[in-house]
Structure formats: C-alpha cells, structure tokens
Amino acid sequence: QTYPIRSLFPPLLHQTVQKIPGGPNAQVAVGSAVILGLCAVPVFGKDTKRGHDLFSQEKPQAIVESQERLQKEAREAWKKSVEETKKE
C-alpha cells in the first residue's frame, strides 16, 4: 500500500520537493542529501579548538606544539653533541 506524499509532508515542503527535476527517486535522493548535509553542519562548522570537544580523537593544539618544541630541542642538543664529538 502506498501513501500519497501530500499526507506525509506539509504543503510548503511538498511544493519545494516537487520543484526538484527528476522522478520521485531523484527527489528523495536530493532531499536525503540535503538533510544529511544540514546534520553535518554542526560537526564541520565548530569553532572549538582542536582536541577540545567531547568526542575528539585529536591531540589538543597546545600538546602538539609542546611536543614539537621538545623534539626540536632534542634535535638541537643531539646536533650539538655530534659537533662536540667531531671536535675531539
């Protein structure tokens, strides 16, 4: 049994969907893509720092910067020790 689309959607939404070219399958595909896109806006439009939101698996920016600084200092110390051993 099929249900008319008009009974499932408000009239304005039905008129908007009908303007999409193609058959009902194309209209459903475009509508689904639009809804999924709207649901993704909060995820990609966030203004929180890296690694600070609830489900983030990234390292916070401050930790990344401190690790890079420590690695740079370790490399410089290593280069200095290599130069000192070459002088001897």
Side-chain angles (χ1 to χ4, degrees), residues 27-55:
Q27 294 170 352
V28 168
V30 170
S32 298
V34 167
I35 290 172
L36 288 174
L38 290 174
C39 291
V41 167
V43 174
F44 296 108
K46 65 182 179 180
D47 58 346
T48 59
K49 293 182 182 178
R50 179 177 143 183
H52 287 277
D53 48 337
L54 186 59
F55 298 108

Side-chain angles (χ1 to χ4, degrees), residues 6 16 33 37-39 41 47 52 60 62 68 70 72 80 85:
R6 286 184 186 260
T16 305
L38 290 174
C39 291
V41 167
D47 58 346
H52 287 277
E68 289 173 352
L70 289 173
K72 183 178 178 183
K80 188 175 182 179
T85 55

Side-chain angles (χ1 to χ4, degrees), residues 14 18-19 28-29 31 38 52 62 66 81 84:
H14 177 71
Q18 289 298 317
K19 291 180 181 180
V28 168
L38 290 174
H52 287 277
S66 67
S81 67
E84 288 176 0

Side-chain angles (χ1 to χ4, degrees), residues 50 59-71:
R50 179 177 143 183
K59 292 181 184 178
Q61 188 66 31
I63 292 175
V64 171
E65 289 173 356
S66 67
Q67 287 176 341
E68 289 173 352
R69 182 176 39 82
L70 289 173
Q71 287 175 351

